[in-house]
Amino acid sequence: MASSWNVTMGPEERLFHHGESGYVRYQVSGSGNTVLLMLPGALGTKETDFLAQFDYLDPSAYTLVSWDPPGYGHADPALLQRSWTLDMLERDAEVVVALMKHIGSTRFSILGYSDGANTAFLIAAKYPEMVYKVIAVGGNAFLDSTDIRIYEELRDINTWDPQGRNLMVSSYGQAGFLELWNKWCDTMALIYKERGGDICKEELKLITAPVLIVHGKNDTAVPLHHAYHLAAHLVSGDLWTISDAGHDPHLTHAHLFNGVMTLFLQNR
């Protein structure tokens, strides 16, 4: 893949190698007892999806772990390609669990955004002994015809919010961003066709960890009915909708979100 990806590594950043997935970039920050794994959305990274949380959370109280899923972000594109398969989120789940074991963390909470929320559900269902709590922002357990129509409209990156689009272009370059985004949209369409849109519907009932579901009422990327489905099918799921928020309330309403998330994580 020809692109202008930035491969500069920060002082706290490392590379982790995992089989066919190649190398992924990760970062561990802080030294607190509460370990929080942060899973970005489609094509996302710490820089695009979680800076508001890194800037807020106390490093003496939290240990923050972020990563770029295989094929995303700032890992060297010559070292890996993403597998655009029906089980790509399941693959992501296995890689990041291996990463957490690699760094010696076997009990942690997860903040997942969009695709990252769905990956969090898959991890919590398969590895309940490892997951303490989940904060799921803008997630969806399935795809329906409305979702596929939305994704087809969003193929045109000129319809994106300029700030979000510019962050992606900064990470991947214009051509790299377009290539990855079209592959993501193609894969979602294939999941809808071949799996009836199932992302993690069956896994929801297996999750025993407390889940805080966060969804913007004005989310045009993942409509609100997905949040209601999650709340209805999770064993221990609490739904928090934000009336004037869209798909990324943890960024647009960061102060409010961070406060509520902190209370959720600290409540024993």
Side-chain angles (χ1 to χ4, degrees):
M1 179 188 302
S3 67
S4 57
W5 293 11
N6 175 5
V7 296
T8 302
M9 300 289 287
E12 296 179 311
E13 296 171 358
R14 301 288 184 270
L15 290 178
F16 171 67
H17 185 269
H18 186 270
E20 295 180 356
S21 298
Y23 290 89
V24 295
R25 183 188 67 147
Y26 73 96
Q27 178 176 333
V28 181
S29 301
S31 57
N33 291 330
T34 300
V35 180
L36 183 62
L37 171 62
M38 310 172 92
L39 304 179
L43 281 63
T45 66
K46 179 194 77 174
E47 289 79 10
T48 62
D49 292 356
F50 293 125
L51 285 183
Q53 283 66 56
F54 268 85
D55 291 342
Y56 176 86
L57 294 171
D58 181 357
S60 68
Y62 290 89
T63 297
L64 305 179
V65 183
S66 65
W67 84 320
D68 300 341
Y72 291 169
H74 299 254
D76 187 341
L79 299 179
L80 76 160
Q81 297 288 335
R82 185 163 182 83
S83 296
W84 298 99
T85 57
L86 296 176
D87 63 344
M88 69 176 185
L89 294 184
E90 288 92 333
R91 287 170 176 252
D92 286 354
E94 293 302 322
V95 177
V96 78
V97 165
L99 168 61
M100 295 305 284
K101 292 178 179 178
H102 170 73
I103 65 175
S105 181
T106 57
R107 183 73 168 165
F108 49 86
S109 293
I110 307 176
L111 168 59
Y113 169 54
S114 199
D115 265 8
N118 303 337
T119 304
F121 295 141
L122 292 165
I123 296 170
K126 188 171 181 179
Y127 300 97
E129 72 284 358
M130 298 184 73
V131 178
Y132 179 54
K133 291 185 177 182
V134 175
I135 305 101
V137 183
N140 54 308
F142 65 91
L143 303 170
D144 58 25
S145 60
T146 298
D147 299 310
I148 299 305
R149 175 184 56 79
I150 290 171
Y151 301 154
E152 288 304 312
E153 292 172 355
L154 288 173
R155 279 187 191 267
D156 179 3
I157 63 171
N158 292 316
T159 65
W160 283 43
D161 171 76
Q163 182 177 3
R165 180 176 65 242
N166 291 340
L167 284 170
M168 290 297 179
V169 171
S170 176
S171 292
Y172 300 109
Q174 182 88 0
F177 172 34
L178 282 169
E179 181 175 355
L180 284 174
W181 179 237
N182 278 305
K183 287 182 176 179
W184 185 90
C185 292
D186 290 343
T187 304
M188 293 300 108
L190 194 61
I191 290 173
Y192 177 65
K193 178 181 178 182
E194 299 294 336
R195 290 175 41 166
D198 186 9
I199 296 174
C200 56
K201 288 195 297 184
E202 293 302 313
E203 284 79 3
L204 295 182
K205 64 187 178 184
L206 303 177
I207 298 172
T208 56
V211 180
L212 177 62
I213 307 155
V214 184
H215 216 96
K217 286 189 175 180
N218 298 331
D219 191 338
T220 57
V222 178
L224 187 57
H225 68 266
H226 285 294
Y228 292 132
H229 177 90
L230 294 174
H233 291 84
L234 284 163
V235 175
S236 181
D238 292 324
L239 174 59
W240 175 33
T241 59
I242 304 178
S243 60
D244 57 344
H247 188 51
D248 54 356
H250 65 300
L251 299 179
T252 60
H253 297 64
H255 184 73
L256 175 63
F257 173 85
N258 288 336
V260 172
M261 177 183 66
T262 300
L263 289 174
F264 174 72
L265 291 172
Q266 291 176 347
N267 183 5
R268 300 295 176 179

